Amino acid sequence: MATERETPAPDGAPRGARGTARSATTTPQVLTGARVVLPTGTVENGRLAIDGSRIAASAPAGAEVLDVTGHWLVPGFVDLHNHGGGGASFAGTAEQAMTAVRTHRLHGTTTLVASTVTDEMDLLVRQAGLLSELAEQGEIAGIHFEGPFISPCRKGAHSESLLRDPDPAEVRKLIDAARGHAKMVTLATELPGGIDSVRLLAEHGVIAAIGHTDASYEQTAEAIDAGATVATHLFNAMPALGHRAPGPIAALLQDERVTVELINDGVHLHPAALELAFRHAGADRVAFITDAMDAAGSADGRYLLGPLEVEVSEGVARLVEGGSIAGSTLTLDRAFRRAVTVDKLPVEDVVTALSANPARLLGLDDRIGSLEPGKDADLVLLDADFALKGVMRRGEWVVAPQLP
């Protein structure tokens, strides 16, 4: 069983409680000299003013000036799909869940949706109740239910014995248990009850995500017409793209109503697959996610993902029985750096995929997802090589700036 491990702050950042570097902003600040990535483009030698927990339109009186010349300032990252980190998961206690949250904050994820994994329905209901309390406290942005309403043909790292068809009544049970904090449910929409469940989710303002599916092209298109708007980790846990039977991938890439999740860790996707998704869907329809499990930000070893045992070796998580990839050990700062330095994507497109698009999907783009006056002061400081050097959340330094 996974054990909690203390997670080091990046690049030697000072530690605070439970491994999180914290330096409260007691006075207004102005960050100067950085390349600041705004919705309108990148501003060279830019300035960003912070007053309390918000971004300010101009420098407040008495503001402390911090010179971050040679760095990048980008919005805090938003992770739609995350099962845990730091040796802990969202399937345990509230403190274990907070260990995972703090771990990912150290890596720039200032907004996180906690994902469940297939389990007994009563356990998922109980888990939803616990996580909803963290959502009410503002620690997480909501809950994503991945399973149990998925295909046994494409189960990945989910226990087949616990899978079930997406009965709308049971889907509603999970929504109700989340007390208004259910943000997304992943379904194999071709299963009995799938389309009706998509309609139910849409009616309740919950994202219906197509994933762990064996659907045809036509079945996928039907689900999108019914209200599905997200592809859960596109390419993974679904039929491959075929020239006679194009399957779900083609339908999900083609439809402008769908945002596609991508796990950019160099393991889940070949670079050509990532390029195909970006080129066909465009940056405005891509959301980078981690799909992280307990070992993100932690050490290799044995862990649990739901009821299944996982072996993590050299940062790659696989089921002990069967060897299927079991989530990732990715953090979003690594996804950012890889996207820019390996995949050669424009920084602005990567910011859109890591921050703006997931914020929009969550209905939070009036508060987060971009560096604009009035929004939460959630930001990430990166050096010229895109290594993380600071993280601010709601005006507080979670990782204090690491400057030369």
Side-chain angles (χ1 to χ4, degrees):
M1 185 168 180
T3 56
E4 292 186 23
R5 297 174 173 83
E6 189 174 358
T7 304
D11 299 320
R15 274 187 211 280
R18 299 179 181 88
T20 300
R22 284 193 178 274
S23 176
T25 301
T26 56
T27 58
Q29 292 191 18
V30 178
L31 309 181
T32 66
R35 293 185 177 96
V36 183
V37 181
L38 303 176
T40 52
T42 298
V43 176
E44 300 286 341
N45 193 26
R47 293 165 59 88
L48 191 72
I50 297 144
D51 191 0
S53 64
R54 301 295 180 94
I55 298 170
S58 58
E64 173 188 348
V65 177
L66 183 63
D67 185 354
V68 290
T69 299
H71 291 72
W72 292 83
L73 278 176
V74 301
F77 307 143
V78 182
D79 196 353
L80 290 171
H81 186 154
N82 187 310
H83 297 279
S89 79
F90 293 114
T93 65
E95 184 53 39
Q96 288 169 334
M98 283 307 302
T99 294
V101 168
R102 294 185 187 106
T103 296
H104 286 280
R105 283 182 190 164
L106 291 175
H107 294 275
T109 298
T110 51
T111 301
L112 179 149
V113 175
S115 300
T116 67
V117 68
T118 296
D119 214 322
E120 299 284 358
M121 280 295 293
D122 60 341
L123 293 178
L124 291 174
V125 166
R126 192 182 315 157
Q127 188 178 354
L130 182 149
L131 293 173
S132 67
E133 293 179 10
L134 295 181
E136 287 158 7
Q137 295 164 16
E139 300 290 0
I140 62 174
I143 306 165
H144 162 220
F145 296 99
E146 186 181 26
F149 312 115
I150 61 176
S151 171
C153 301
R154 305 288 173 177
K155 64 183 185 295
H158 292 255
S159 176
E160 185 169 355
S161 64
L162 298 173
L163 301 183
R164 58 185 68 207
D165 291 339
D167 179 349
E170 292 199 319
V171 174
R172 177 64 187 268
K173 186 176 182 180
L174 291 182
I175 295 173
D176 291 344
R179 304 202 300 261
H181 299 291
K183 292 296 183 181
M184 183 162 65
V185 178
T186 294
L187 311 98
T189 54
E190 75 278 7
L191 295 176
I195 297 299
D196 287 340
S197 293
V198 168
R199 294 194 181 102
L200 172 73
L201 292 168
E203 288 169 3
H204 285 80
V206 179
I207 297 166
I210 299 173
H212 288 276
T213 177
D214 203 41
S216 67
Y217 175 92
E218 292 76 15
Q219 288 170 324
T220 305
E222 181 185 7
I224 296 169
D225 286 339
T229 56
V230 166
T232 293
H233 43 54
L234 187 74
F235 298 109
N236 299 119
M238 60 183 63
L241 185 66
H243 65 290
R244 291 195 181 92
I249 293 172
L252 293 163
L253 281 176
Q254 281 182 338
D255 200 300
E256 294 183 356
R257 294 170 290 182
V258 176
T259 298
V260 299
E261 293 181 350
L262 298 176
I263 307 171
N264 192 27
D265 61 353
V267 175
H268 281 78
L269 297 175
H270 189 283
L274 182 133
E275 182 184 7
L276 173 67
F278 257 92
R279 184 167 298 193
H280 201 87
D284 290 337
R285 290 180 45 220
V286 171
F288 279 136
I289 60 163
T290 60
D291 193 17
M293 46 78 71
D294 300 24
S298 194
D300 285 356
R302 290 271 178 120
Y303 295 83
L304 286 178
L305 184 60
L308 301 179
E309 194 169 14
V310 176
E311 178 76 34
V312 179
S313 177
E314 297 182 352
V316 179
R318 295 184 180 276
L319 291 181
V320 171
E321 185 175 340
S324 293
I325 293 177
S328 84
T329 62
L330 186 63
T331 53
L332 284 183
D333 58 331
R334 286 171 45 209
F336 191 114
R337 193 174 192 183
R338 179 179 176 84
V340 175
T341 63
V342 177
D343 302 311
K344 306 300 182 185
L345 294 171
V347 172
E348 296 80 4
D349 286 355
V350 178
V351 167
T352 298
L354 277 170
S355 302
N357 290 344
R360 169 181 52 78
L361 283 169
L362 294 173
L364 298 175
D365 50 331
D366 60 332
R367 285 184 36 225
I368 62 171
S370 60
L371 300 178
E372 296 179 271
K375 293 192 176 183
D376 290 353
D378 292 355
L379 60 88
V380 178
L381 181 69
L382 304 167
D383 68 14
D385 297 319
F386 302 99
L388 186 145
K389 294 297 179 181
V391 180
M392 178 181 283
R393 181 175 185 268
R394 298 179 185 173
E396 285 192 7
W397 287 107
V398 178
V399 175
Q402 302 298 294
L403 302 174

PDB file of all heavy atoms in Angstrom, residues 368-387:
ATOM      1  N   ILE A 368      -9.537  32.451 -12.963  1.00  0.00           N
ATOM      2  CA  ILE A 368      -8.222  31.829 -13.144  1.00  0.00           C
ATOM      3  C   ILE A 368      -7.966  31.559 -14.619  1.00  0.00           C
ATOM      4  O   ILE A 368      -8.833  31.773 -15.459  1.00  0.00           O
ATOM      5  CB  ILE A 368      -8.109  30.499 -12.351  1.00  0.00           C
ATOM      6  CG1 ILE A 368      -9.145  29.481 -12.880  1.00  0.00           C
ATOM      7  CG2 ILE A 368      -8.280  30.731 -10.857  1.00  0.00           C
ATOM      8  CD1 ILE A 368      -8.968  28.083 -12.316  1.00  0.00           C
ATOM      9  N   GLY A 369      -6.757  31.088 -14.936  1.00  0.00           N
ATOM     10  CA  GLY A 369      -6.448  30.645 -16.292  1.00  0.00           C
ATOM     11  C   GLY A 369      -5.693  31.646 -17.129  1.00  0.00           C
ATOM     12  O   GLY A 369      -5.188  31.298 -18.199  1.00  0.00           O
ATOM     13  N   SER A 370      -5.586  32.899 -16.672  1.00  0.00           N
ATOM     14  CA  SER A 370      -4.839  33.917 -17.408  1.00  0.00           C
ATOM     15  C   SER A 370      -4.415  35.011 -16.447  1.00  0.00           C
ATOM     16  O   SER A 370      -5.006  35.185 -15.371  1.00  0.00           O
ATOM     17  CB  SER A 370      -5.669  34.495 -18.554  1.00  0.00           C
ATOM     18  OG  SER A 370      -6.853  35.103 -18.067  1.00  0.00           O
ATOM     19  N   LEU A 371      -3.396  35.759 -16.835  1.00  0.00           N
ATOM     20  CA  LEU A 371      -2.859  36.835 -16.007  1.00  0.00           C
ATOM     21  C   LEU A 371      -3.535  38.139 -16.407  1.00  0.00           C
ATOM     22  O   LEU A 371      -3.054  38.879 -17.268  1.00  0.00           O
ATOM     23  CB  LEU A 371      -1.340  36.918 -16.181  1.00  0.00           C
ATOM     24  CG  LEU A 371      -0.548  35.663 -15.797  1.00  0.00           C
ATOM     25  CD1 LEU A 371       0.932  35.857 -16.066  1.00  0.00           C
ATOM     26  CD2 LEU A 371      -0.796  35.272 -14.346  1.00  0.00           C
ATOM     27  N   GLU A 372      -4.675  38.418 -15.774  1.00  0.00           N
ATOM     28  CA  GLU A 372      -5.454  39.609 -16.081  1.00  0.00           C
ATOM     29  C   GLU A 372      -5.912  40.277 -14.800  1.00  0.00           C
ATOM     30  O   GLU A 372      -6.176  39.599 -13.802  1.00  0.00           O
ATOM     31  CB  GLU A 372      -6.675  39.235 -16.932  1.00  0.00           C
ATOM     32  CG  GLU A 372      -6.340  38.667 -18.294  1.00  0.00           C
ATOM     33  CD  GLU A 372      -7.591  38.296 -19.065  1.00  0.00           C
ATOM     34  OE1 GLU A 372      -8.056  37.150 -18.917  1.00  0.00           O
ATOM     35  OE2 GLU A 372      -8.104  39.166 -19.797  1.00  0.00           O
ATOM     36  N   PRO A 373      -6.002  41.601 -14.801  1.00  0.00           N
ATOM     37  CA  PRO A 373      -6.452  42.314 -13.606  1.00  0.00           C
ATOM     38  C   PRO A 373      -7.791  41.804 -13.102  1.00  0.00           C
ATOM     39  O   PRO A 373      -8.704  41.528 -13.875  1.00  0.00           O
ATOM     40  CB  PRO A 373      -6.560  43.772 -14.087  1.00  0.00           C
ATOM     41  CG  PRO A 373      -5.589  43.870 -15.210  1.00  0.00           C
ATOM     42  CD  PRO A 373      -5.650  42.528 -15.897  1.00  0.00           C
ATOM     43  N   GLY A 374      -7.874  41.662 -11.785  1.00  0.00           N
ATOM     44  CA  GLY A 374      -9.094  41.187 -11.142  1.00  0.00           C
ATOM     45  C   GLY A 374      -9.127  39.698 -10.912  1.00  0.00           C
ATOM     46  O   GLY A 374      -9.922  39.215 -10.105  1.00  0.00           O
ATOM     47  N   LYS A 375      -8.287  38.946 -11.624  1.00  0.00           N
ATOM     48  CA  LYS A 375      -8.259  37.498 -11.436  1.00  0.00           C
ATOM     49  C   LYS A 375      -7.346  37.127 -10.272  1.00  0.00           C
ATOM     50  O   LYS A 375      -6.533  37.931  -9.800  1.00  0.00           O
ATOM     51  CB  LYS A 375      -7.806  36.801 -12.724  1.00  0.00           C
ATOM     52  CG  LYS A 375      -8.816  36.932 -13.861  1.00  0.00           C
ATOM     53  CD  LYS A 375      -8.488  35.998 -15.006  1.00  0.00           C
ATOM     54  CE  LYS A 375      -9.563  36.062 -16.090  1.00  0.00           C
ATOM     55  NZ  LYS A 375      -9.307  35.106 -17.193  1.00  0.00           N
ATOM     56  N   ASP A 376      -7.497  35.886  -9.801  1.00  0.00           N
ATOM     57  CA  ASP A 376      -6.644  35.399  -8.723  1.00  0.00           C
ATOM     58  C   ASP A 376      -5.175  35.511  -9.119  1.00  0.00           C
ATOM     59  O   ASP A 376      -4.815  35.246 -10.275  1.00  0.00           O
ATOM     60  CB  ASP A 376      -6.955  33.934  -8.405  1.00  0.00           C
ATOM     61  CG  ASP A 376      -8.302  33.749  -7.730  1.00  0.00           C
ATOM     62  OD1 ASP A 376      -8.944  34.766  -7.385  1.00  0.00           O
ATOM     63  OD2 ASP A 376      -8.715  32.586  -7.560  1.00  0.00           O
ATOM     64  N   ALA A 377      -4.353  35.885  -8.147  1.00  0.00           N
ATOM     65  CA  ALA A 377      -2.911  35.971  -8.395  1.00  0.00           C
ATOM     66  C   ALA A 377      -2.305  34.573  -8.316  1.00  0.00           C
ATOM     67  O   ALA A 377      -1.628  34.213  -7.360  1.00  0.00           O
ATOM     68  CB  ALA A 377      -2.269  36.916  -7.400  1.00  0.00           C
ATOM     69  N   ASP A 378      -2.618  33.767  -9.336  1.00  0.00           N
ATOM     70  CA  ASP A 378      -2.073  32.413  -9.501  1.00  0.00           C
ATOM     71  C   ASP A 378      -1.072  32.474 -10.640  1.00  0.00           C
ATOM     72  O   ASP A 378      -1.444  32.775 -11.785  1.00  0.00           O
ATOM     73  CB  ASP A 378      -3.178  31.418  -9.865  1.00  0.00           C
ATOM     74  CG  ASP A 378      -4.167  31.176  -8.734  1.00  0.00           C
ATOM     75  OD1 ASP A 378      -3.962  31.705  -7.632  1.00  0.00           O
ATOM     76  OD2 ASP A 378      -5.148  30.451  -8.964  1.00  0.00           O
ATOM     77  N   LEU A 379       0.192  32.206 -10.354  1.00  0.00           N
ATOM     78  CA  LEU A 379       1.201  32.325 -11.413  1.00  0.00           C
ATOM     79  C   LEU A 379       2.355  31.379 -11.153  1.00  0.00           C
ATOM     80  O   LEU A 379       2.559  30.895 -10.036  1.00  0.00           O
ATOM     81  CB  LEU A 379       1.689  33.773 -11.517  1.00  0.00           C
ATOM     82  CG  LEU A 379       2.333  34.391 -10.276  1.00  0.00           C
ATOM     83  CD1 LEU A 379       3.840  34.132 -10.213  1.00  0.00           C
ATOM     84  CD2 LEU A 379       2.065  35.893 -10.250  1.00  0.00           C
ATOM     85  N   VAL A 380       3.082  31.120 -12.231  1.00  0.00           N
ATOM     86  CA  VAL A 380       4.278  30.290 -12.178  1.00  0.00           C
ATOM     87  C   VAL A 380       5.432  31.074 -12.776  1.00  0.00           C
ATOM     88  O   VAL A 380       5.291  31.686 -13.840  1.00  0.00           O
ATOM     89  CB  VAL A 380       4.081  28.961 -12.939  1.00  0.00           C
ATOM     90  CG1 VAL A 380       5.358  28.128 -12.924  1.00  0.00           C
ATOM     91  CG2 VAL A 380       2.923  28.158 -12.334  1.00  0.00           C
ATOM     92  N   LEU A 381       6.555  31.066 -12.079  1.00  0.00           N
ATOM     93  CA  LEU A 381       7.776  31.715 -12.535  1.00  0.00           C
ATOM     94  C   LEU A 381       8.710  30.642 -13.078  1.00  0.00           C
ATOM     95  O   LEU A 381       9.025  29.671 -12.381  1.00  0.00           O
ATOM     96  CB  LEU A 381       8.425  32.454 -11.369  1.00  0.00           C
ATOM     97  CG  LEU A 381       9.710  33.229 -11.647  1.00  0.00           C
ATOM     98  CD1 LEU A 381       9.434  34.443 -12.533  1.00  0.00           C
ATOM     99  CD2 LEU A 381      10.372  33.660 -10.330  1.00  0.00           C
ATOM    100  N   LEU A 382       9.128  30.799 -14.332  1.00  0.00           N
ATOM    101  CA  LEU A 382      10.011  29.843 -14.999  1.00  0.00           C
ATOM    102  C   LEU A 382      11.282  30.560 -15.438  1.00  0.00           C
ATOM    103  O   LEU A 382      11.235  31.736 -15.824  1.00  0.00           O
ATOM    104  CB  LEU A 382       9.331  29.237 -16.231  1.00  0.00           C
ATOM    105  CG  LEU A 382       7.980  28.556 -16.015  1.00  0.00           C
ATOM    106  CD1 LEU A 382       7.299  28.298 -17.346  1.00  0.00           C
ATOM    107  CD2 LEU A 382       8.151  27.256 -15.239  1.00  0.00           C
ATOM    108  N   ASP A 383      12.403  29.843 -15.434  1.00  0.00           N
ATOM    109  CA  ASP A 383      13.621  30.477 -15.929  1.00  0.00           C
ATOM    110  C   ASP A 383      13.689  30.377 -17.445  1.00  0.00           C
ATOM    111  O   ASP A 383      12.748  29.888 -18.097  1.00  0.00           O
ATOM    112  CB  ASP A 383      14.867  29.892 -15.247  1.00  0.00           C
ATOM    113  CG  ASP A 383      15.168  28.443 -15.613  1.00  0.00           C
ATOM    114  OD1 ASP A 383      14.584  27.916 -16.592  1.00  0.00           O
ATOM    115  OD2 ASP A 383      15.996  27.815 -14.922  1.00  0.00           O
ATOM    116  N   ALA A 384      14.786  30.816 -18.025  1.00  0.00           N
ATOM    117  CA  ALA A 384      14.902  30.850 -19.482  1.00  0.00           C
ATOM    118  C   ALA A 384      14.851  29.465 -20.097  1.00  0.00           C
ATOM    119  O   ALA A 384      14.512  29.320 -21.284  1.00  0.00           O
ATOM    120  CB  ALA A 384      16.195  31.556 -19.881  1.00  0.00           C
ATOM    121  N   ASP A 385      15.177  28.442 -19.311  1.00  0.00           N
ATOM    122  CA  ASP A 385      15.122  27.054 -19.787  1.00  0.00           C
ATOM    123  C   ASP A 385      13.824  26.363 -19.388  1.00  0.00           C
ATOM    124  O   ASP A 385      13.712  25.150 -19.499  1.00  0.00           O
ATOM    125  CB  ASP A 385      16.321  26.272 -19.244  1.00  0.00           C
ATOM    126  CG  ASP A 385      17.644  26.814 -19.753  1.00  0.00           C
ATOM    127  OD1 ASP A 385      17.720  27.166 -20.954  1.00  0.00           O
ATOM    128  OD2 ASP A 385      18.591  26.906 -18.949  1.00  0.00           O
ATOM    129  N   PHE A 386      12.876  27.119 -18.867  1.00  0.00           N
ATOM    130  CA  PHE A 386      11.538  26.645 -18.498  1.00  0.00           C
ATOM    131  C   PHE A 386      11.540  25.717 -17.288  1.00  0.00           C
ATOM    132  O   PHE A 386      10.641  24.907 -17.114  1.00  0.00           O
ATOM    133  CB  PHE A 386      10.830  25.998 -19.691  1.00  0.00           C
ATOM    134  CG  PHE A 386      10.693  26.934 -20.853  1.00  0.00           C
ATOM    135  CD1 PHE A 386      11.576  26.878 -21.924  1.00  0.00           C
ATOM    136  CD2 PHE A 386       9.728  27.927 -20.856  1.00  0.00           C
ATOM    137  CE1 PHE A 386      11.484  27.764 -22.978  1.00  0.00           C
ATOM    138  CE2 PHE A 386       9.633  28.829 -21.903  1.00  0.00           C
ATOM    139  CZ  PHE A 386      10.502  28.748 -22.969  1.00  0.00           C
ATOM    140  N   ALA A 387      12.558  25.872 -16.438  1.00  0.00           N
ATOM    141  CA  ALA A 387      12.538  25.192 -15.142  1.00  0.00           C
ATOM    142  C   ALA A 387      11.772  26.046 -14.145  1.00  0.00           C
ATOM    143  O   ALA A 387      11.874  27.275 -14.145  1.00  0.00           O
ATOM    144  CB  ALA A 387      13.962  24.953 -14.654  1.00  0.00           C
TER     145      ALA A 387
END
